[in-house]
């Protein structure tokens, strides 16, 4: 699964695709983030804590991808965590990342005030900042590319043990601070049309890959757009699909007499789909002939819904 994370991180290091992800999932397709206004920031964050005995402990975390985005007069720190498997502690993990980033910002502001020696009021001395000081918003997306549906917690409250007296639970939940993660499950994306870069085709292929018929139909109907994907996107989609044989041929293509292109790889996938579809159809007809269901044989040639039902019924 570490390899899947690698492909996702490689894909989203491109600023245009990173902006596209946030525009599609956070801003519902509105083109708010601009690639040219994104700048990479440090992936490392950490703080040093001193306990009562004077011993120091360092807490450090490393993000997968992090960018600083300019939104007019304000900024936002947009971060992404790539997941190939379900992480049952993800809300706490994201909470820790975000808290460390906010703490670092606060510490930097405090250091700047100490240099300037411009804190004049008692509350300012106590906190090390003024009431006018503001933090850059941190917005983390969890991009999940696993084959199984996400069955992990999506918020801190999902992880809490709330087995106490029932009458106290509503009040407890109302008072407890919650922390919700922004989860993007690639295989369950609802609005692919919100994506304006090659992520639409990459995520589309992954979304439909769990159903072979839908998968081959998708790549056939999006053949030209898929063939125009750049090298990083092509490599990522083949790796994430588990098409390792075609991936290796793609990686080995440069310098060869007969270059194996993405269009050839896609054409091969479509051909495989047609061949597999023909074999499934032949198997189904053979079964129906044995059961003397000539009426069904006549119907399945023009009824796709019926074909699917029978494929499922006969486990084809």
């Amino acid at each position: 699964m570490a390899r899947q994370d690698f492909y996702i991180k490689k894909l989203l290091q491109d600023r245009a695709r990173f902006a596209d992800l946030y525009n599609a999932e956070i801003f519902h397709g509105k083109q708010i983030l601009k690639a040219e206004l994104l700048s990479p920031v440090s992936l490392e964050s950490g703080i040093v804590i001193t306990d009562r005995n004077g011993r120091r402990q360092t807490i450090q975390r490393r993000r997968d991808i992090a960018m600083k985005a300019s939104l007019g007069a304000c900024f936002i720190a947009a971060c992404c965590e790539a997941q190939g498997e379900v992480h049952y502690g993800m809300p706490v993990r994201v909470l820790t990342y975000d808290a460390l980033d906010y703490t670092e910002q606060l510490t930097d502001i405090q250091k700047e005030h100490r240099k300037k020696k411009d804190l004049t009021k008692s509350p300012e001395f106590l906190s090390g900042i003024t009431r006018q000081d503001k933090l850059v918003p941190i917005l983390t997306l969890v991009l999940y590319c696993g084959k199984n549906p996400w069955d992990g917690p999506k918020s801190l409250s999902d992880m809490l043990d709330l087995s106490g007296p029932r009458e106290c639970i509503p009040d407890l939940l109302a008072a407890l601070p919650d922390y919700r993660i922004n989860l993007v499950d690639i295989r369950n994306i609802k609005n692919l049309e919100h994506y304006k870069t090659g992520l639409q085709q990459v995520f589309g292929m992954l979304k439909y890959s769990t159903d072979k018929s839908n998968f081959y139909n998708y790549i056939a109907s999006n053949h030209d757009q898929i063939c125009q994907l750049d090298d990083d996107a092509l490599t990522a989609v083949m790796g994430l699909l588990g098409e390792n044989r075609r991936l290796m041929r793609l990686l080995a293509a440069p310098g060869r007499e007969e270059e194996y292109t993405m269009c050839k790889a896609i054409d091969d996938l479509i051909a495989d789909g047609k061949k597999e579809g023909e074999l499934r159809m032949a198997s189904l007809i053979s079964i129906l002939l044995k059961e003397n269901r000539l009426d069904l044989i006549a119907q399945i040639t023009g009824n796709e819904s019926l074909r699917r039902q029978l494929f499922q019924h006969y486990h084809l």
Side-chain angles (χ1 to χ4, degrees), residues 21-303:
L21 173 66
Y22 272 78
N23 286 333
E25 296 299 331
I26 300 300
F27 301 112
H28 311 294
K30 296 188 290 290
Q31 301 304 293
I32 303 299
L33 291 191
K34 306 295 183 184
E36 62 272 18
L37 298 179
L38 288 176
S39 57
V41 294
S42 174
L43 301 177
E44 300 280 355
S45 60
I47 56 174
V48 177
I49 299 175
T50 304
D51 64 18
R52 293 179 179 178
N53 297 319
R55 292 174 298 193
R56 292 188 174 184
Q57 179 182 1
T58 302
I59 301 176
Q60 288 182 302
R61 294 292 185 272
R62 180 180 176 83
R63 289 189 181 274
D64 289 338
I65 309 163
M67 301 264 189
K68 189 174 184 179
S70 174
L71 294 175
C74 67
F75 291 88
I76 179 173
C79 310
C80 179
E81 295 302 313
Q83 279 298 121
E85 289 187 352
V86 176
H87 192 304
Y88 294 118
M90 185 55 72
V92 172
R93 180 178 169 183
V94 172
L95 171 59
T96 302
Y97 286 157
D98 293 354
L100 287 174
D101 285 341
Y102 281 127
T103 301
E104 280 196 345
Q105 288 186 50
L106 185 62
T107 301
D108 290 341
I109 295 172
Q110 291 169 334
K111 287 180 180 178
E112 191 64 26
H113 281 302
R114 284 199 295 270
K115 286 181 183 178
K116 294 179 179 179
K117 297 181 180 180
D118 59 352
L119 300 180
T120 59
K121 301 177 182 178
S122 178
E124 295 176 346
F125 278 112
L126 178 64
S127 57
I129 63 174
T130 69
R131 192 170 68 175
Q132 289 72 36
D133 289 319
K134 302 297 180 182
L135 301 177
V136 172
I138 306 292
L139 182 54
T140 302
L141 278 179
V142 178
L143 188 58
Y144 174 61
C145 56
K147 291 184 178 180
N148 298 318
W150 180 275
D151 65 350
K154 296 181 181 179
S155 66
L156 182 61
S157 59
D158 291 341
M159 299 181 64
L160 301 180
D161 180 2
L162 299 172
S163 56
R166 289 187 178 181
E167 63 271 16
C168 76
I169 301 301
D171 291 335
L172 187 61
L173 283 175
L176 279 171
D178 201 357
Y179 208 83
R180 176 182 56 84
I181 63 173
N182 297 294
L183 178 72
V184 180
D185 186 342
I186 291 178
R187 287 177 170 83
N188 285 292
I189 289 177
K190 296 292 187 286
N191 299 298
L192 280 172
E193 69 279 3
H194 285 173
Y195 289 88
K196 307 305 179 184
T197 69
L199 285 181
Q200 180 180 137
Q201 287 74 41
V202 172
F203 290 173
M205 292 178 73
L206 292 172
K207 176 179 180 177
Y208 294 109
S209 63
T210 54
D211 183 292
K212 290 184 178 180
S213 177
N214 286 337
F215 174 65
Y216 293 123
N217 287 338
Y218 180 81
I219 60 176
S221 60
N222 292 272
H223 179 274
D224 293 344
Q225 295 92 330
I226 294 171
C227 285
Q228 292 172 9
L229 295 175
D230 63 28
D231 289 344
D232 285 339
L234 304 179
T235 302
V237 75
M238 285 299 180
L240 292 167
L241 287 171
E243 289 287 339
N244 296 324
R245 176 171 56 86
R246 292 186 175 90
L247 174 60
M248 294 308 295
R249 291 183 67 187
L250 277 169
L251 294 176
R256 297 209 170 197
E257 292 183 4
E258 295 182 2
E259 184 173 341
Y260 187 69
T261 64
M262 186 60 184
C263 279
K264 182 66 171 72
I266 294 302
D267 288 341
D268 286 350
L269 281 173
I270 295 173
D272 287 352
K274 289 179 179 177
K275 186 182 298 182
E276 184 171 329
E278 291 169 359
L279 290 173
R280 292 176 78 197
M281 190 68 166
S283 298
L284 178 57
I285 291 174
S286 177
I287 292 172
L288 295 177
L289 282 172
K290 288 179 182 179
E291 296 181 355
N292 198 28
R293 295 302 306 274
L294 300 181
D295 57 324
L296 285 180
I297 293 176
Q299 292 180 53
I300 61 174
T301 56
N303 191 326

